[in-house]
Amino acid sequence: QVQVAESGGGSVQAGGSLRLACAASGFTYNSRCMGWFRQAPGKEREGVAAISGGGSTTYQESVKGRFTISGDNATNTLYLQMDSLKPEDTAMYYCAAANYFEVYCSRPLYHHTYAYWGRGTQVTVSS
């Protein structure tokens, strides 16, 4: 059974860092398109970063240079390193996995690309 589960959220001051983790089970994370999304209260869910089965990465413009998506083959875990955090980064963050046939992300920051979602982890950045 394909499952993903996020951890690592928390509260941090502006300029700080957090690293989110997404534990993958029932599949190998680097065999398909994987992504991180976020949703702030009253706003739509938006794609933050994605990584293809081939290792290509895509970032939302607002996080380029600050966030890094990566993975650990040994633990089958996807990460999102978030540096220089801003109050506008405050949101619930979700990990998502595409279906097995979506190896190379056709639309990496589009939520319909993904079939499996975690429950989310809250990130709060104070000014």
Side-chain angles (χ1 to χ4, degrees), residues 12-70:
V12 65
Q13 288 192 326
S17 298
L18 282 173
R19 188 176 77 159
L20 305 184
C22 172
S25 59
F27 72 105
T28 304
Y29 88 91
N30 63 1
S31 67
R32 62 182 75 187
C33 182
M34 298 285 295
W36 285 98
F37 286 71
R38 66 186 180 188
Q39 187 167 19
K43 294 188 176 182
E44 292 187 355
R45 189 172 297 191
E46 61 178 3
V48 175
I51 186 166
S52 74
S56 298
T57 56
T58 304
Y59 296 95
Q60 184 195 102
E61 195 63 34
S62 69
V63 307
K64 282 183 179 178
R66 300 190 298 122
F67 290 12
T68 304
I69 188 170
S70 66

Side-chain angles (χ1 to χ4, degrees), residues 53-123:
S56 298
T57 56
T58 304
Y59 296 95
Q60 184 195 102
E61 195 63 34
S62 69
V63 307
K64 282 183 179 178
R66 300 190 298 122
F67 290 12
T68 304
I69 188 170
S70 66
D72 184 334
N73 294 344
T75 60
N76 203 27
T77 301
L78 182 74
Y79 295 101
L80 184 68
Q81 177 67 41
M82 305 185 295
D83 299 318
S84 302
L85 282 162
K86 304 176 180 180
E88 50 264 43
D89 294 319
T90 294
M92 185 71 78
Y93 282 71
Y94 298 90
C95 175
N99 270 313
Y100 71 93
F101 48 80
E102 185 83 41
V103 177
Y104 302 104
C105 310
S106 55
R107 298 180 68 181
L109 300 181
Y110 183 53
H111 65 281
H112 284 313
T113 296
Y114 301 89
Y116 305 94
W117 294 82
R119 294 186 176 183
T121 185
Q122 178 67 38
V123 171

